[in-house]
Amino acid sequence: MAISVRDEGAVRFVRIDRPEKKNALTLAMYDAMTEALAGAQSSEACRVVVIEGHPGVFTAGNDIGDFMQNPPTGEDSAVFRFLLKLVDFEKPVIAAVDGPAVGVGTTLLLHCDIVVASSRAKFSMPFVNLGLVPEGASSLLLPQIAGRATANYWLLTGEPFDAESALRAGLVSHVFSPEEFAASAQKIAEGLAKKPAEALRLSKQLLRAPQRNAVREALSREGELFIARLSSPETLEAFTTFMTRR
Ligand code: COA
């Protein structure tokens, strides 16, 4: 299924598990992640979720072949259902990024509560280069987090940036060496899992409340344009170039 789920104590790890394709996300993988989050929400035992990739790769973003064959068509599509589930998820979510995080691989981080990166993490949102527009509410949240100048630069040029830049911009809270990365992320997760669960839930709710409606509106606004752009000549050309590059 390319998403694997394991529990370690009260921490549920949701691993994007398709390393041979740099963890590119298919429709079935979004569905599996949505299901994993739903299960974590209703599980008494689960207190914290960690979304992780593999050592050396977080995710190359949406699978481009899948984008061509099974494009999202509206808010009932797999990618939207996943993003909405993440937005509404009540327990703390930690994202652990240890390699490239492309497209939705970066924008999903904006909906996680704590984001940690290894020094080899690399972020990019190459939407414009693919003929597309920002998604995942990044047009709203990234300027708020990173400031307008940096958000504009990253979103309009699509240029990749490293973990130190992400730290300076406030997109991640910690950068660890690749050797210390997994244990450090786990330690943060275990620490949160020991906190009073109801206090955590209410605190997360408060932190999100001022933005809740605006995030949903941004997801819809972007989604509509993004879907329309998927069949634009600019995007079809960029996708075809990627698919036939070898
Ligand atoms: N969709 C489909 N397949 C993808 C993919 C994606 N988004 N990203 C990587 N892959 C596949 C490659 O086609 C390749 O498959 P192959 O071995 O069958 O040819 C395999 O994963 C390895 O990718 P490769 O590009 O050789 O790895 P790399 O280490 O040189 O580069 C990335 C890694 C992530 C920088 C690069 O793969 C990339 O830029 N991918 C596209 C990212 C993208 O544009 N995503 C969409 C955002 S909206």
Side-chain angles (χ1 to χ4, degrees), residues 78-200:
V79 59
F80 284 100
R81 284 203 308 268
F82 165 65
L83 287 170
L84 286 170
K85 179 63 78 185
L86 189 57
V87 166
D88 288 340
F89 192 71
E90 293 188 341
K91 298 176 184 181
V93 179
I94 298 174
V97 183
D98 183 17
V102 186
V104 70
T106 292
T107 60
L108 77 81
L109 305 175
L110 303 169
H111 305 285
C112 297
D113 302 296
I114 295 178
V115 184
V116 297
S118 82
S119 51
R120 64 184 167 184
K122 197 158 217 176
F123 307 83
S124 61
M125 291 165 285
F127 305 116
V128 167
N129 303 337
L130 296 168
L132 296 167
V133 295
E135 41 78 311
S138 56
S139 62
L140 171 78
L141 294 175
L142 199 62
Q144 290 177 353
I145 292 170
R148 220 163 77 98
T150 300
N152 287 353
Y153 187 74
W154 286 344
L155 283 171
L156 298 180
T157 66
E159 215 159 279
F161 52 97
D162 64 11
E164 284 303 325
S165 306
L167 183 68
R168 274 198 305 278
L171 183 62
V172 312
S173 63
H174 296 73
V175 177
F176 301 110
S177 70
E179 297 74 34
E180 294 169 336
F181 181 70
S184 305
Q186 181 151 356
K187 197 166 155 205
I188 294 175
E190 284 168 355
L192 274 184
K194 292 195 188 102
K195 308 265 179 216
E198 185 60 3
L200 266 183

Side-chain angles (χ1 to χ4, degrees), residues 20-22 24 60 62-64 102-103 127 130 242 245-246:
E20 72 285 2
K21 293 287 182 189
K22 300 288 169 184
N62 205 105
D63 184 288
I64 289 179
V102 186
F127 305 116
L130 296 168
F242 179 80
R245 71 199 160 129
R246 288 195 218 284

